[in-house]
Amino acid sequence: MSGASAWSSGAGVSDDVVELRVHGAASASADQVLDVPQVEQVAGDRSGGFYRPRRDCSCDRADRVTLEAYRWADLPSGTVVRTLSLVFLLPFMLANLAIWMRPANSGSDATVRSLCRLLALTLTALYVLAVAGVTLDLIAWKCMGSSRCLAGRIWLSWLGGQPVGLRLAVLAVVPAAAIGLLWRASARPKKVFDAFRAPADEVSEHRLSGIGQWDAGPLVGRLRSIHVAAAFATLDVVLLAARAASGASAATIALAVATGAVLATCIVMLCLPPLIDRAASDQRLDRITRTVRTVAVALTIVVTVHVLASAGPWQRGGVLPGYGPILTSLFVSQTALLTALAAVLLWRRDRRRDATPLFGLGALVIAASAVSLAVAVSAELVYRVADFLDRDAPTGEGLASGLPPAFTWAIFGFLRTVLFTLVIAVPVVLISRRRRLRAAAAIVACDYPHRPPGAATRLRQVQRAIARARFTERLIPLAVVYACLAGIGTATTTLGLLELLPSESVQRYARLPGDLITFSIAFGSWGIAAIILGLTLGGIFAYRTAEFRRHVGVLWDLGTFWPRAAHPFAPPCYAERAVPELTRRITYLVGRGNAVLLSAHSHGAVLAAATVLQLPPQVSSRVALLTHASPLRRLYARLFPAYVDDEVLQEVGARVDWRWVNLWRDTDPIGGWTFSAHRTVAPVAADGPGATVDRRLRDPADVVAPPGDSVPPPIQGHRPHGSDQRYAEAAHALVERLRKPAGSGPRRADPDPPADGGRTAHRVANPSRQEG
C-alpha cells in the first residue's frame, strides 16, 4: 500500500504509538535492535526491512507501544565479496566523499565540484595505467621478450617469440576486461524498490533533504559513461604511444587525435556542473554521454587492431615506450588539481572565528588521501608483480629495476607521508593527553562526588575512557597534516619526468647514503603491501565479527551515506533507499492512526534527520525523535558543513514540534551533543527550544557493583542505549507528549543526575566546548 492511500484509508488518530528503532553502524540483527528473542519481518526485504516481535512473543508492553525495527545493515555491505570490493574501491569512495565535504560557500561550489570530479577521473585513469603497467609493460613488453623470464612459465611462453604487436594486442584484453568489470559492478541492477516521494512543496528546501528526494541514478549513469570512455581512451593512449615511438604513421596520428578528442570531451563535461547535474528528465544529455562511451569503446577496438596489424618496426628494450611519461603526466595533473583545489578552498573559506574546523579544507583532505592511497596501491601492484616475475634475477638486472621512476617516487612519497605523520602524531597525543585527562578528571569528579572505598581503579578506567573519547577532535589537525604531506608526496612523483631516482637524488643533494634510501623504499613497498592485506582482512572480519564491524562500519557508513556524485565506481549509497523507505513507512503508520517515536542510534540519527525533512506536516505532527550516540554535530556538522548546520538541525526540531531528545555520553568517541553539552546548569550553550534536546548520561551508571552483582556496570561508550533505564524514561516521556494535544509545547529537559540526587549534577564548568 502506498503512503498516500494509507493516509486516506487510515483508522483515525489514536493513542497507539509505534517505537520505530533505526540501528547504527553494523548492527548485527533485528532481535538485538529490539532486544527481544524472536522477531518477524513485516515489510521490506533482506537488505533493508522492518521487523517486529513475533505475535506469540510474551513481550507486550503495558503502555500500548509497539516495537518495530528498521534494519538497513546490508544496504552498505552484505556478502564477503561485496565487503572486499568496498576495500579495494576505497580510493574511489574517498574521492566521492570529498565532493560532499565542500564548504557551504555557494560562490566556490561549482569550481569545487568540477575539481573533485576531475580528481576522481584521474583515479580511474591511474587504475587503467596500473593494470596496463602489469600486462603491457611488465608481461607483454619485458617478460615475453626475455627467455629467462619465460623459463618454466607455460602460461606465458605460448606468446614468447611472437611479434610485439600481437603480444600487446592480446594482453590489452586484460585492462579492457578490468574496465568492463568496474563498469558492470557499478551498473548492477538496483533492488526493486518503489520509493515514496512526498510532494515537493512539503519537503524541506535545505540541501540535506535532497538525500531522500534526489534520484542519483541519472547522474551516476552520466558519470559512469564519462569514466568508462576516459578509461578506454587512457588504454588507447598507452598503445598508441608505444606504436608511435619508432615513427608515427598517418593512421597512428589520426587515432591519437580521436583519442585526445574523447578525453577532452570527458574533461569538458566534468567541468560544467550545471550541464552534468541536470534533471533526470534530460534524456539528450544521457544520449550524449552514452555516445561518447560508445565511440571510446569502438576506438579501442580500432586501436588494438591497428597495433596488431601495423607492419612498422618496434623500439626495443627498456620500459614500454611512452608509458613512463604518460604516468608521470598523470601525477603532474593530480598535483595541479590538488593545488587548485587548495587555492579555491583557502581563498573562499569561511573566515569567522567560530567557523567549522579544517578551515573548510575537508574536501582537500579527503581528495589528497584518496590520491595518495591510489598512487601507493598502484605502485605496489606493479612492484609486487615485477618482483614475482624477477624470481632470482641479480640485483639491478630484473624487471623491477626498469620500472618508471614515478612509481619509485610514489612509494618513497607514501613512506615519507606515513612516517612524518606518525612523528607529528606522537607529540600531539602526548601533549593533548594531559589536557584530556584533566578535563576527564573534572567530569569524573562531578559525576561521582561520593567515591566509595575501593573504586579508585574503576574511576581511573572511566577517566581514561573519557580521555580517549575526546581524542576524536585531535584527529582533525592530524588529518590536515597527513593531507598536506600526501599532496607533497604526490608532487614529488613529478620528478620522474627528469628520469631521477630517489636514491640518486637524495645521495646527490642531501648527502645521505643511497643504500639507505633503497632500503627505505623496499620497506615502504612491504608496508603498503601490509596495509592492503590489513584492509582485506579488515573487510573479512568486518563482515564476520560484529564487534570489529561496529568500529569499521562507522567509516564505511560515513562514506556510503552520500550518493555517488563524483566517482561512479564508488560503493553505492544506502541513504537513497533508506530515507525514502523510512519516509514511506512512517507515513503509512501515521495514516493507520499511530503516532511514531523514531528512535535512532549512531548513523541512524543522520538517516532519521534526513527522513524528518521529507515528512509532510500532517505526518511530522505525529512524530517524535529520540537520538542516541548521534554524530550529527560532532562528525557531520564538522565534515559536511554545506549539508549539516544549525539551520537544518533547527528545522528538524521544529518539524517534530521539538519532541526531540538526544542522549549522549562523555565516553562515546563518535556521538555527542546536538545543541548543548549540558555540563553546567546555566547558562546552556543553546537558546530557545534547542536547549531542551540534549541529555548527557553518566557513563557508567556507577563505579561499584550493584547489590547482588560482583562487577560494576560496564562502560558503554558508543553502544546503543536501548537497554538503559534512562533511555526507557526518555522514550516514555516522548510517548506521553505524543499523546497530548498538539501545541502543548516542549518541556525543559533535565540532564541526567548523578548518584547524589542532583546536588552536584552539573557543577563542573564546560571543559572547553571545542573539545566536544
Side-chain angles (χ1 to χ4, degrees):
M1 183 183 296
S2 68
S5 61
W7 177 267
S8 61
S9 63
V13 176
S14 70
D15 284 343
D16 293 334
V17 177
V18 175
E19 182 180 333
L20 178 54
R21 296 184 177 183
V22 183
H23 66 78
S27 183
S29 62
D31 59 319
Q32 291 179 338
V33 178
L34 294 175
D35 197 20
V36 296
Q38 295 176 321
V39 298
E40 61 181 356
Q41 189 167 359
V42 295
D45 57 19
R46 294 180 60 184
S47 297
F50 296 87
Y51 297 81
R52 288 186 178 184
R54 285 182 54 173
R55 293 179 178 86
D56 57 353
C57 178
S58 58
C59 49
D60 295 334
R61 292 173 52 168
D63 55 357
R64 298 202 317 279
V65 174
T66 302
L67 288 180
E68 184 169 311
Y70 177 57
R71 185 178 182 273
W72 54 272
D74 288 338
L75 293 181
S77 59
T79 63
V80 174
V81 173
R82 186 173 180 183
T83 303
L84 292 178
S85 71
L86 294 179
V87 172
F88 292 109
L89 297 181
L90 179 58
F92 299 160
M93 185 189 77
L94 293 176
N96 184 68
L97 191 61
I99 197 172
W100 296 99
M101 297 179 72
R102 60 188 185 270
N105 189 340
S106 59
S108 61
D109 188 76
T111 304
V112 172
R113 275 189 290 167
S114 298
L115 291 173
C116 288
R117 284 171 177 164
L118 290 176
L119 279 167
L121 189 67
T122 64
L123 297 185
T124 299
L126 181 58
Y127 171 87
V128 177
L129 289 177
V131 179
V134 171
T135 57
L136 300 183
D137 180 33
L138 288 179
I139 298 178
W141 185 261
K142 295 176 180 175
C143 186
M144 289 185 176
S146 169
S147 58
R148 182 192 57 79
C149 182
L150 292 177
R153 292 188 170 120
I154 301 177
W155 54 281
L156 286 179
S157 59
W158 64 281
L159 268 178
Q162 298 296 327
V164 175
L166 175 62
R167 303 201 306 254
L168 291 176
V170 171
L171 269 298
V173 174
V174 178
I179 298 170
L181 178 64
L182 284 182
W183 183 0
R184 176 68 183 87
S186 65
R188 60 180 179 271
K190 297 177 66 176
K191 296 179 175 67
V192 177
F193 178 64
D194 183 18
F196 170 79
R197 305 292 187 195
D201 57 345
E202 297 180 339
V203 174
S204 168
E205 297 181 357
H206 196 278
R207 286 182 173 183
L208 184 63
S209 66
I211 298 298
Q213 283 290 312
W214 175 37
D215 180 11
L219 173 62
V220 174
R222 295 163 190 166
L223 292 175
R224 183 188 304 118
S225 296
I226 292 173
H227 278 248
V228 169
F232 279 109
T234 302
L235 177 59
D236 297 342
V237 169
V238 174
L239 293 172
L240 290 173
R243 176 64 277 181
S246 57
S249 63
T252 303
I253 295 175
L255 291 173
V257 171
T259 301
V262 170
L263 283 174
T265 302
C266 294
I267 293 173
V268 169
M269 286 192 291
L270 292 180
C271 288
L272 298 174
L275 175 68
I276 203 69
D277 290 330
R278 282 185 178 179
S281 58
D282 193 342
Q283 299 295 324
R284 183 176 59 180
L285 180 59
D286 296 337
R287 287 194 295 269
I288 293 175
T289 55
R290 287 195 297 267
T291 300
V292 174
R293 182 190 66 197
T294 303
V295 170
V297 174
L299 189 60
T300 299
I301 297 174
V302 175
V303 168
T304 304
V305 173
H306 172 68
V307 169
L308 176 64
S310 179
W314 288 87
Q315 183 176 318
R316 297 290 182 180
V319 182
L320 180 69
Y323 179 71
I326 293 171
L327 182 68
T328 309
S329 298
L330 179 66
F331 292 156
V332 171
S333 301
Q334 290 176 332
T335 302
L337 290 172
L338 288 174
T339 303
L341 182 60
V344 172
L345 293 176
L346 287 173
W347 180 258
R348 304 303 297 267
R349 74 179 186 272
D350 193 341
R351 301 176 187 274
R352 294 175 300 173
R353 175 175 294 183
D354 59 344
T356 56
L358 293 173
F359 300 101
L361 296 178
L364 176 65
V365 169
I366 298 301
S369 300
V371 170
S372 174
L373 182 60
V375 169
V377 171
S378 300
E380 178 61 17
L381 172 66
V382 177
Y383 261 89
R384 286 301 111 212
V385 174
D387 186 62
F388 168 75
L389 295 175
D390 279 343
R391 289 188 293 202
D392 299 326
T395 303
E397 298 181 11
L399 302 183
S401 62
L403 292 177
F407 275 142
T408 307
W409 280 106
I411 294 177
F412 186 52
F414 185 81
L415 176 65
R416 292 197 325 269
T417 300
V418 173
L419 289 180
F420 288 169
T421 303
L422 291 176
V423 168
I424 296 173
V426 170
V428 168
V429 172
L430 295 178
I431 293 173
S432 69
R433 186 173 184 271
R434 179 176 299 180
R435 181 180 179 184
R436 289 184 286 113
L437 285 173
R438 186 167 56 249
I443 295 172
V444 169
C446 176
D447 285 346
Y448 311 98
H450 304 297
R451 307 186 181 195
T457 301
R458 187 60 171 172
L459 288 170
R460 284 194 296 269
Q461 292 175 350
V462 176
Q463 181 179 345
R464 287 195 295 267
I466 295 175
R468 285 194 301 268
R470 297 167 77 87
F471 186 69
T472 300
E473 282 70 25
R474 300 300 177 187
L475 292 176
I476 293 176
L478 290 179
V480 176
V481 170
Y482 176 84
C484 294
L485 295 173
I488 295 173
T490 302
T492 57
T493 59
T494 60
L495 295 175
L497 288 175
L498 304 177
E499 296 297 326
L500 292 175
L501 292 174
S503 57
E504 299 173 355
S505 303
V506 174
Q507 187 175 9
R508 181 183 306 172
Y509 300 108
R511 305 297 182 184
L512 293 177
D515 293 340
L516 176 62
I517 305 302
T518 303
F519 170 79
S520 65
I521 293 173
F523 178 79
S525 175
W526 286 108
I528 296 171
I531 291 174
I532 296 173
L533 179 61
L535 289 175
T536 305
L537 294 177
I540 295 174
F541 283 106
Y543 175 73
R544 295 182 178 273
T545 307
E547 188 64 27
F548 186 75
R549 185 178 179 179
R550 181 177 291 113
H551 299 290
V552 178
V554 170
L555 301 178
W556 288 123
D557 294 343
L558 182 71
T560 55
F561 172 80
W562 303 96
R564 292 174 288 180
H567 207 301
F569 301 152
C573 164
Y574 63 86
E576 287 181 287
R577 169 175 170 173
V579 172
E581 195 165 33
L582 276 170
T583 303
R584 180 179 182 177
R585 183 65 178 175
I586 293 172
T587 303
Y588 170 79
L589 292 173
V590 172
R592 301 289 292 179
N594 301 283
V596 176
L597 171 58
L598 184 57
S599 172
H601 171 252
S602 187
H603 280 75
V606 188
L607 292 175
T611 299
V612 169
L613 296 175
Q614 307 298 316
L615 297 174
Q618 67 270 24
V619 176
S620 61
S621 64
R622 297 282 292 158
V623 174
L625 184 59
L626 176 57
T627 54
H628 42 115
S630 165
L632 273 169
R633 170 73 67 178
R634 193 174 188 183
L635 292 184
Y636 278 78
R638 291 172 181 267
L639 301 178
F640 310 101
Y643 295 89
V644 180
D645 54 11
D646 285 327
E647 179 183 348
V648 73
L649 295 175
Q650 291 283 343
E651 182 172 350
V652 170
R655 280 177 168 261
V656 296
D657 196 22
W658 293 104
R659 292 181 296 269
W660 183 5
V661 172
N662 177 61
L663 307 176
W664 69 283
R665 307 180 180 113
D666 274 303
T667 55
D668 189 347
I670 298 171
W673 51 269
T674 302
F675 295 97
S676 176
H678 279 299
R679 290 201 184 96
T680 56
V681 175
V684 295
D687 297 324
T692 69
V693 171
D694 294 288
R695 299 187 187 180
R696 188 180 72 89
L697 302 186
R698 186 178 67 179
D699 186 36
D702 207 343
V703 291
V704 294
D709 202 346
S710 58
V711 294
I715 299 174
Q716 297 294 337
H718 189 63
R719 291 183 177 87
H721 295 56
S723 59
D724 194 314
Q725 178 61 29
R726 296 165 293 186
Y727 171 93
E729 294 170 357
H732 178 74
L734 288 173
V735 168
E736 292 304 313
R737 289 181 58 190
L738 281 171
R739 288 170 175 164
K740 285 185 177 182
S744 58
R747 294 179 296 181
R748 185 166 185 86
D750 294 327
D752 177 58
D756 65 344
R759 290 187 298 272
T760 58
H762 303 285
R763 204 175 300 153
V764 60
N766 188 344
S768 174
R769 189 180 172 192
Q770 287 73 20
E771 293 238 340

